[in-house]
Amino acid sequence: MYQKHSTISPGVLLPLFVAADAYQVLAVRRVCFQQLQDSITAENVLECFEMADACTAKYLMQACTQFIAQPGNSVLVARQPAMRKMMHEKPELVQELLVAVASSRQSHRKPKKVCCAHCVDKKRKRTT
């Protein structure tokens, strides 16, 4: 019945993930998360994000925002009919998604190189 390395269709994965999360079946939840993460596309990322929000699965929400933050993906996702629907039905969730994507992009920028600890301290003093 349960096989660790089986492949489950994305249409079944989301409800299974939600059920495993609700009943705290950690092994099933972990496998579902790994497979969901590997099967995120521009067509299903918003559904994944909504489900993750509904069951407060922050790690799945992060996987969705990281997918959208990748170059080219945000435009594909923005053009999905599901985005228009989400904008009308759950504008606060769209706002949360936009903030998370922007934060994800910001955190992936390369920090400026600093030559030594002295320069780090000087830089900190200037910003405070």
Side-chain angles (χ1 to χ4, degrees):
M1 183 171 136
Y2 168 71
Q3 296 176 356
K4 187 174 182 176
H5 298 289
S6 65
T7 302
I8 304 169
S9 72
V12 175
L13 275 174
L14 279 173
L16 183 59
F17 176 81
V18 171
D21 186 66
Y23 292 105
Q24 297 296 305
V25 184
L26 302 180
V28 175
R29 185 176 68 178
R30 189 177 324 107
V31 170
C32 287
F33 169 70
Q34 290 168 347
Q35 288 193 17
L36 279 169
Q37 191 174 18
D38 293 341
S39 65
I40 291 175
T41 65
E43 291 78 23
N44 68 14
V45 68
L46 295 173
E47 183 182 6
C48 286
F49 190 79
E50 282 188 76
M51 287 289 217
D53 179 62
C55 63
T56 61
K58 296 291 182 195
Y59 43 88
L60 183 55
M61 290 177 83
Q62 288 173 342
C64 292
T65 56
Q66 287 171 358
F67 174 85
I68 296 169
Q70 292 174 7
N73 286 351
S74 57
V75 173
L76 292 173
V77 173
R79 291 182 177 157
Q80 295 298 315
M83 177 58 87
R84 189 172 295 117
K85 181 179 176 187
M86 187 187 286
M87 288 171 66
H88 289 288
E89 295 177 3
K90 299 179 181 180
E92 68 286 344
L93 190 59
V94 173
Q95 181 182 17
E96 183 179 343
L97 177 62
L98 291 173
V99 169
V101 168
S103 297
S104 177
R105 285 183 175 165
Q106 190 78 21
S107 67
H108 284 96
R109 290 187 178 163
K110 292 182 181 178
K112 292 182 180 177
K113 291 184 180 180
V114 181
C115 61
C116 63
H118 173 72
C119 292
V120 170
D121 291 336
K122 278 177 42 179
K123 188 174 181 179
R124 282 188 195 143
K125 287 178 184 176
R126 276 189 266 149
T127 58
T128 58

